[in-house]
Amino acid sequence: MAGHFEPLPGGGAAVPLDEVEVSILRSLAVQLLELVGPGEAPGDSEAEDLLASVFNDGPSEPPADPVLARLFPDAYGGPDLVPDDDVRAASAEFRRYTENDLRARKRDDALALIRALDALTPAGQGGAVLRLKPDECRQWLGALNDLRLAIGTRLEVTDEEDGGELLRLPDTDPRKPMVMAYLWLGGLQETLVESLMD
């Protein structure tokens, strides 16, 4: 897994992907969708959907799953970091009005990734070149970031770690495939950002 994004003339980015890479990305995105959960059922009209979303409160408590807690963190540090009741109440209120929208955006980003992969046509020898428009790049950045956060949380990666310890895991360690996916996703994310800055 060595593909990296390159800038496209006029904006956007492209990356060569083989069948295995496409399969891994798609599988991870589907798992992310399952974790984030289904969206709201569509209403009869856009106006009703907008009105319902204004009055549809989200959860006020942080998720129990560590990955979801990382994807949907407390706005003000959380009860473990800030024991103040007023801060906890403000955090719960913020979550109540923002988490549903954040979940919808994460679903949209993951779906954009899946749709782009599903639209690929093989370029020969089991590979294809994925070409993203600038607006698709933003969704891919969001999805890649969410996938890395999810895997990093499961691997118990902390901000202080440089990944060196994870790289030294023996091939027999059951975490090794996820470590390789985590590092690969980081490379894709980094090169996509660099492509957009060119």
Side-chain angles (χ1 to χ4, degrees), residues 9 18 33 40 43 48 54-55 74 90-91 109 113 115-116 134 138 143 146 149 152 166 175 177 180 183:
D18 64 31
L33 281 173
E40 298 294 318
E48 286 180 14
V54 170
F55 294 106
D74 271 322
S91 214
D109 290 349
L113 188 148
R115 288 181 183 124
R138 185 207 56 80
D146 290 342
L149 285 174
L166 292 173
R175 297 172 294 169
M180 299 311 293
L183 296 172

Side-chain angles (χ1 to χ4, degrees), residues 82-186:
V82 184
D84 183 273
D85 287 341
D86 290 337
V87 173
R88 279 200 296 264
S91 214
E93 188 80 355
F94 184 82
R95 178 179 299 281
R96 191 168 65 128
Y97 291 114
T98 61
E99 187 169 313
N100 285 342
D101 287 340
L102 187 54
R103 281 181 185 265
R105 193 182 84 224
K106 290 181 183 302
R107 276 191 297 275
D108 289 347
D109 290 349
L111 283 170
L113 188 148
I114 291 169
R115 288 181 183 124
L117 293 173
D118 287 350
L120 281 176
T121 54
Q125 298 180 354
V129 176
L130 174 72
R131 289 177 177 78
L132 299 175
K133 297 174 185 167
D135 58 324
E136 294 172 316
C137 289
R138 185 207 56 80
Q139 289 186 295
W140 267 70
L141 279 173
L144 290 171
N145 186 61
D146 290 342
L147 291 172
R148 287 195 75 235
L149 285 174
I151 294 170
T153 302
R154 291 286 189 240
L155 291 171
E156 299 178 352
V157 173
T158 64
D159 291 337
E160 295 81 33
E161 289 179 339
D162 64 357
E165 185 177 318
L166 292 173
L167 277 173
R168 290 188 288 277
L169 288 175
D171 290 343
T172 55
D173 191 302
R175 297 172 294 169
K176 188 71 173 206
M178 291 311 293
V179 168
M180 299 311 293
Y182 175 78
L183 296 172
W184 174 60
L185 291 169

Side-chain angles (χ1 to χ4, degrees), residues 60-74:
S60 59
E61 294 297 318
D65 183 305
V67 172
L68 288 175
R70 183 69 178 101
L71 291 173
F72 305 106
D74 271 322

